Amino acid sequence: MRASPPAEPADGRVRGVDETALTRRVAADYVDRLENRDWPGLTALLAEDMVYEMPQTRERIRGRSAFLRFNIDYPGEWHLRVRRVVADGRAAALWLDVRVGAGQQDACAWLELSDSGLISRIVDYWPEPYDPPAGREHLVERW
Amino acid sequence: MRASPPAEPADGRVRGVDETALTRRVAADYVDRLENRDWPGLTALLAEDMVYEMPQTRERIRGRSAFLRFNIDYPGEWHLRVRRVVADGRAAALWLDVRVGAGQQDACAWLELSDSGLISRIVDYWPEPYDPPAGREHLVERW
C-alpha cells in the first residue's frame, strides 16, 4: 500500500536543487491525491507521526491515521486546485483554490518534509472574507 | 533614494539557484524594511507598477506610491516577524507573525519578482481565529 519514499540524491553538490524538486512534487501530489480521494496514495506521502495544525481554531491532529480519517470524513463536496506551489529545500507553501458546492475559498498550507522525503508537518490557514476597514478607500480599488 | 536592483547572474547554469537565493533575500528584506519603517529601503525593493492584493476584502492597490502610503498610514503599533520564507525561482511565500499592541495574528503573503528582481506583486491573507465546527473532537487536540 505504501510507495517507497524517493531516494536521496547521492551527489551532494546538487542536493539542494534535487531536494527542492522532490518537495515541489510531493506538495503537488499531496493536493492531487486529496482531490482524487486516493487514500492509499496520500498515505504513501505522509510520515506516520506527522502533525497537522489549524492555528485559527487552535486544533492539532497527531498521526497519519487520524489525519486520514479527518480527510475521509470531511463533509461536503470539496474540491482543491493548486494556485501556486513554492518549494525550498524541505519546506513548501501551497496556495489553494478550494470549492465546496457553490462556495469558494482560498487556503494557504505550509508543509515540511522529513529526512526520508515524507510530509511530517502541515499547517493550514483558511482565511475568510471580511469587510475592509474605513479610511483607505482613496488608495484601493475593489473587485 | 533607490538602490540598484541586483544584477542577473551571467552563468545560465546556476541561474535557477541564484534566482531563488535573490528572491529569498528580497522577501526577507521586504519584511525587515517594513518592520523598520525604512521607506526608502522598501521603495528600492518594489517595481513602480507593482500590485498589492487582499483577496479577503477584495481590495487592490496599484503602484508603489499608493502601496507605500498604505503602509506609512497603517494604524496601530504593528510589528512583523518572519516565521518562514519559502522561495522558488521568482516566487516566494512569507509566513508572518504579526503583533499589533497586545494582539497577535499570523499572515500569509505571496510575492512575485519581476525580470529585474523587484517585487511586482504581493497577495496578502490575514486569517482570523474562529470556532471549530462540531464533529471532529475525537480526532483533534486544542491548544
Side-chain angles (χ1 to χ4, degrees):
Chain A
M1 184 162 153
R2 292 184 57 195
S4 300
E8 290 280 3
D11 180 352
R13 194 182 58 82
V14 295
R15 189 168 185 281
V17 176
D18 282 3
E19 194 171 69
T20 292
L22 165 65
T23 301
R24 197 184 291 117
R25 184 161 56 79
V26 167
D29 285 353
Y30 165 68
V31 179
D32 192 56
R33 294 175 190 186
L34 274 172
E35 172 62 19
N36 290 302
R37 279 62 168 168
D38 173 7
W39 308 124
L42 181 60
T43 301
L45 298 178
L46 303 172
E48 191 170 1
D49 61 350
M50 66 158 291
V51 173
Y52 173 77
E53 291 180 346
M54 291 173 281
Q56 291 166 275
T57 54
R58 298 179 182 269
E59 288 175 292
R60 181 183 295 118
I61 297 174
R62 288 187 188 275
R64 185 174 60 199
S65 302
F67 179 65
L68 280 162
R69 178 49 52 197
F70 172 76
N71 282 291
I72 293 168
D73 292 350
Y74 204 93
E77 274 298 311
W78 50 270
H79 292 285
L80 311 176
R81 188 177 64 78
V82 169
R83 293 172 63 105
R84 191 173 298 170
V85 180
V86 184
D88 196 351
R90 290 188 193 160
L94 278 167
W95 180 6
L96 301 175
D97 175 331
V98 183
R99 312 263 166 171
V100 184
Q104 190 279 333
Q105 188 172 14
D106 293 340
C108 304
W110 301 86
L111 273 57
E112 289 172 35
L113 266 63
S114 69
D115 288 353
S116 44
L118 299 174
I119 297 171
S120 57
R121 187 163 181 242
I122 302 167
V123 181
D124 256 9
Y125 289 93
W126 298 89
E128 299 196 314
Y130 61 92
D131 291 326
R136 60 198 196 194
E137 300 83 354
H138 59 298
L139 297 172
V140 306
E141 61 184 43
R142 304 290 306 280
W143 81 82
Chain B
M1 182 159 155
R2 292 184 57 195
S4 300
E8 290 280 1
D11 180 352
R13 195 182 58 80
V14 295
R15 189 168 185 279
V17 174
D18 283 1
E19 192 171 68
T20 293
L22 165 64
T23 302
R24 197 186 291 117
R25 183 161 57 79
V26 168
D29 285 352
Y30 165 68
V31 179
D32 192 55
R33 293 175 190 187
L34 274 171
E35 171 62 18
N36 290 303
R37 278 62 169 168
D38 172 7
W39 308 124
L42 181 61
T43 300
L45 298 177
L46 303 172
E48 190 169 1
D49 61 350
M50 66 159 291
V51 174
Y52 174 77
E53 291 181 345
M54 291 173 280
Q56 291 167 273
T57 55
R58 296 178 182 270
E59 289 175 292
R60 181 182 297 118
I61 296 174
R62 288 188 188 276
R64 186 174 57 198
S65 303
F67 179 64
L68 280 162
R69 179 49 51 199
F70 171 76
N71 282 291
I72 293 167
D73 291 351
Y74 204 92
E77 273 299 309
W78 49 270
H79 293 285
L80 311 176
R81 190 178 62 79
V82 170
R83 293 171 63 105
R84 191 173 297 169
V85 180
V86 184
D88 197 350
R90 288 187 195 162
L94 277 168
W95 181 6
L96 301 176
D97 175 331
V98 183
R99 313 262 166 172
V100 185
Q104 190 279 330
Q105 187 173 15
D106 293 341
C108 303
W110 301 87
L111 273 58
E112 289 172 35
L113 266 63
S114 71
D115 287 355
S116 44
L118 299 174
I119 297 172
S120 56
R121 187 164 180 243
I122 302 168
V123 182
D124 255 10
Y125 290 93
W126 298 89
E128 299 197 313
Y130 61 92
D131 291 327
R136 61 198 195 194
E137 300 84 353
H138 59 299
L139 296 172
V140 307
E141 60 184 45
R142 304 290 305 282
W143 79 83

